[in-house]
Amino acid sequence: MEKRYDYQILDKKSQKFWEEKGTYSHKKNGPIFSIDTPPPTVSGAIHIGHICSYTQTDIIARYKRMCGLSVFYPFGFDDNGLPTERYVEKKQKTKGHLLPRSEFIKKCLEETKLVEKEFECLWKAIGLSADWDYCYSTISDDVRKLSQESFIRLYKQNCIYRKNEPAPYCTTCRTSVAQAELEDQEKKTLFSNIAFADKSGNQLVIATTRPELLASCVALFYHPSDKRYSNLKENVAIVPLFNQEIPILADEKVDIEKGTGLVMCCTFGDKTDIEWYKKHNLKCIQSIDKAGKLLESVPFIGGLKTIEARKKILEILQDKNLVLEQQPISHSVNIHERCKQDIEFIELPQWFIKILDSKDDFLKAADKITWHPEFMKSRYKNWVENLQWDWCISRQRFYGIPFPVWYCENCQEVLLPDINQLPIDPQESCYPGKICPKCNENKITPDTDIMDTWNTSSITPQICNMLYTKNSTKVFEVSDALEFIPMSYRPQAHDIIRTWAFYTIVKSWMHFKTIPWKTIAISGHVLSPKKEKISKSLNNNPLSPKNLLDRYPADTIRFWTATGTLGQDTAFSENQFKIGNRLVTKLWNAFRFLKEHIQGADLDNKDFKNLGVVNEWIMQASSECFVTYEQYLEKNEFSLALNSIEHFFWKDFCDNYLEVIKDQLFNPENYKPEQIKATLKTLSHIGLRILQMYAPYLPHVTEELYQIVYKDSVGVDSVHQTTFEGVQIKHKFEQSFNAMKNILYAIGRVRKIKTEQQLSLKTELEELTICSEEKNVISDIQNEEALVKGITKAKKITYKNKCEKCTIEKEGDTMRACINMEDSDD
């Protein structure tokens, strides 16, 4: 073996070996463990946060594979929708709406293919054990077909409807957005008291932050218990400047303590306006367009952006003495999570999936899924319980999956293709039926919207089913689907519980009345050194994964990811990388030592009887380590599982076992041949156990060590194709295990007093006195006296019942030591 692990050469060597051998190819040779892997958005570079969460998933995949399960680990790319569209617009220095739809889509496909290849190379470099033969794109023909089929089936089940409906609209991104895509942000603004009047000319004062919406004011509201306004019942008000008559109504949603207690309802300033509009059957007067400007038809402020219009209308009102009072305030407004710009509410014809009527079913589904960590389920439940709208799946964009819908201009019938005609783009294909089946007219127009990208991402279990069966025709057939769904495992971040997790549960329940996966594991985010979430938009990525891979072994980076905890955010720290580096170096050096001694030895690894105290102790210690390791990984506690193997490797194996057996290996003449053989057999076996337990975390260095030390004897191509069965055998040697504790304690006491006296551990002792009142302690050490002599460098060992304290004395060149086995200091 080389003196050091050259990761720049050997990491690539392992990756090439895995690819050539198909090490991670899915083989249907046992119970399936299927992973619904999050498809990363194809919208630029991967950051260290991606590396962290995907590597944590890979640790579980590798562990399950070594448990003997048939791991189905496909990989996807989310190249459908707004993020990709924005990426391509920026890269190509253009705007989607400035190009023909087909030309822009072509550019998107070209760019995403390049990015996907870069992503795949990076994932392979970090050692993901995904099966790249099972790879999908959310814009591919097969996936488009499934997404459109899901839409048609749910429409026919009366789970989907189309309606002119006010919905959140991002005037920056030029599209409707779902409730799950909104964030609240505190912003400073003016709270203005504006004078209205009733029909008799009496002044009415309302307070508002949106005076630019006066042209859309359709009602005034007061609380029914507010005696100040009880005389206004069934009265009307006159909107200042615009002079339209509007009703004055009572509603309990009015906050008596806020402003003047008299509130204007505009179509639409916020969610409350929408509720009142529906509840009281108000008319709709839209005054803001899709570009975020006031409509040209709006007097005084038409054509202005909302902020400019707000300033302008206040100036006009002030000139007419209609602004009675103003105060600066900070209030919460809805923004689009992607662009961070304010959203408006615009009424458009939209497609909706009915979710409000089934909230109880979605809550019950959550209880059937195992959540790691458990407290993350409360986030899901809080979201579902507070849903206010059905899921709007319409998007007014260019790049994405089109609705497979046409409309009859004569009778407004919704026209759908047959499922076997999918995928289809209505803008580029005529309605297959040619004429409307309801009225026999042929004036047919296509739907021009595309689907919300989550409408496709929500069927990733069905996409995985298609990959697994290599058949897209029966994915939505319940009997066939239930052979694959629920999948075993869904890993994802906590910020998309309300989107990806929730929408996938919605679709699975609507199509199959079942949960989509048995277990969901929620990862945290990687935080920048300033404790911020690392993201491309914040430009706070400390180091790109590519640069990190140039500086550190892939296994070192993976070690850092494994120190995180599910559901908890982790701060980026290069110090953990250095600790991982030391581990890789220590493993390499430990197995150089191991290989040197077991090479050429006659090892029978099936018989583990009469091994001697030291070997039986390490056998039981390794068994107990694996039990703990296994228990933690079954609960997705990969950091705690790593801690268990770390303690065993560094302390039990390296610090104690290797040091204890060195005297046997370097001075075999002092031991019986059967003792040496037992030690070499044990050393070889424990080494393989260690490699197996580290393999999910450090796949590259463990592979190289396996190839050098074990491949020929084990007869399996890769350590990652070995299974724990037959290797991680449960050994129990209680007598030896307890005896070794006493032996290690005695050795530790000698080491300590030598170190305190600044003596080399190799300093010879003329005599070592061991004191203990416990007879079993003395007998344990006497039974292994040759071993203790060899390690402590003691020529003679004597035994006493008690002594005052541990000491070491020097008489000329002669050293004598005395240790107390009941020393209270340790």
Side-chain angles (χ1 to χ4, degrees), residues 20-252:
E20 289 176 348
K21 291 289 187 178
T23 302
Y24 308 121
S25 295
H26 174 64
K27 302 172 181 67
K28 299 179 183 179
N29 55 355
I32 184 175
F33 183 83
S34 53
I35 304 174
D36 186 12
T37 316
T41 303
V42 182
S43 58
I46 295 172
H47 59 65
I48 192 63
H50 293 111
I51 296 298
C52 184
S53 59
Y54 282 82
T55 302
Q56 290 173 353
T57 300
D58 188 63
I59 289 167
I60 299 300
R62 289 178 178 277
Y63 163 73
K64 293 293 185 179
R65 196 178 284 115
M66 296 179 78
C67 286
L69 297 178
S70 176
V71 174
F72 179 62
Y73 189 9
F75 205 88
F77 293 103
D78 190 9
D79 39 19
N80 156 32
L82 185 59
T84 300
E85 199 172 310
R86 286 285 184 235
Y87 169 74
V88 174
E89 286 179 336
K90 184 177 179 180
K91 185 90 179 286
Q92 295 278 342
K93 297 180 180 178
T94 186
K95 291 291 183 182
H97 65 273
L98 298 177
L99 299 171
R101 177 183 171 93
S102 58
E103 183 178 336
F104 184 69
I105 289 175
K106 183 180 178 183
K107 289 181 180 295
C108 289
L109 292 171
E110 290 171 352
E111 291 292 346
T112 54
K113 202 158 190 69
L114 294 173
V115 177
E116 285 174 12
K117 196 62 186 174
E118 291 176 12
F119 279 20
E120 182 179 335
C121 290
L122 191 54
W123 291 130
K124 287 180 177 178
I126 205 69
L128 289 199
S129 62
D131 187 345
W132 295 98
D133 290 334
Y134 293 90
C135 192
Y136 67 87
S137 154
T138 57
I139 200 66
S140 69
D141 284 350
D142 283 342
V143 173
R144 286 171 59 215
K145 184 259 184 190
L146 293 185
S147 189
Q148 291 181 334
E149 181 177 354
S150 172
F151 171 84
I152 290 174
R153 286 177 178 270
L154 293 183
Y155 178 79
K156 291 180 177 179
Q157 289 173 214
N158 197 31
C159 295
I160 292 181
Y161 64 92
R162 189 172 189 258
K163 185 179 179 182
N164 274 359
E165 185 80 0
Y169 189 92
C170 179
T171 58
T172 302
C173 299
R174 299 286 188 95
T175 184
S176 299
V177 293
Q179 183 181 347
E181 298 172 86
L182 302 181
E183 291 179 353
D184 292 330
Q185 188 178 86
E186 287 293 316
K187 290 197 173 185
K188 293 180 180 178
T189 189
L190 282 173
F191 205 32
S192 302
N193 284 6
I194 297 174
F196 280 58
D198 65 14
K199 204 168 185 179
S200 302
N202 299 312
Q203 189 181 74
L204 303 172
V205 183
I206 65 97
T208 182
T209 59
R210 299 290 306 266
E212 75 276 11
L213 292 177
L214 280 171
S216 291
C217 185
V218 293
L220 292 188
F221 282 95
Y222 65 92
H223 196 279
S225 65
D226 193 340
K227 295 180 180 179
R228 293 174 295 174
Y229 303 116
S230 58
N231 64 313
L232 296 177
K233 187 176 180 180
E234 297 182 0
N235 205 337
V236 295
I238 309 299
V239 179
L241 299 182
F242 299 94
N243 298 318
Q244 66 258 33
E245 288 188 3
I246 57 173
I248 303 174
L249 305 169
D251 194 284
E252 293 182 350

Side-chain angles (χ1 to χ4, degrees), residues 352-399:
F352 294 87
I353 295 181
K354 297 177 182 179
I355 56 176
L356 296 181
D357 294 342
S358 304
K359 287 164 66 170
D360 287 343
D361 294 302
F362 304 144
L363 291 169
K364 290 175 184 176
D367 292 330
K368 296 176 182 177
I369 298 169
T370 301
W371 293 72
H372 294 294
E374 173 68 22
F375 70 84
M376 282 294 174
K377 181 165 66 173
S378 64
R379 291 198 186 186
Y380 171 90
K381 288 194 166 187
N382 289 339
W383 172 252
V384 175
E385 288 167 351
N386 290 286
L387 283 168
Q388 298 174 356
W389 304 322
D390 281 332
W391 176 14
C392 176
I393 58 171
S394 295
R395 297 293 180 268
Q396 292 71 47
R397 301 304 304 167
F398 311 95
Y399 184 63

Side-chain angles (χ1 to χ4, degrees), residues 59 559 562 583 587 591 621-630 632-633 637-654 686-698 702 724 728:
I59 289 167
F559 175 85
L583 171 60
L587 267 173
F591 278 83
S622 70
S623 298
E624 292 182 357
C625 171
F626 182 74
V627 169
T628 304
Y629 169 93
E630 188 177 37
Y632 280 133
L633 281 178
E637 297 284 3
F638 37 79
S639 61
L640 296 177
L642 178 61
N643 288 344
S644 67
I645 177 61
E646 282 280 271
H647 181 273
F648 174 76
F649 172 69
W650 287 92
K651 184 174 178 63
D652 293 336
F653 184 70
C654 293
I686 296 298
L688 183 56
R689 294 182 75 129
I690 289 170
L691 285 187
Q692 277 196 334
M693 285 190 279
Y694 269 126
Y697 297 91
L698 314 175
T702 53
F724 296 131
Q728 303 295 343

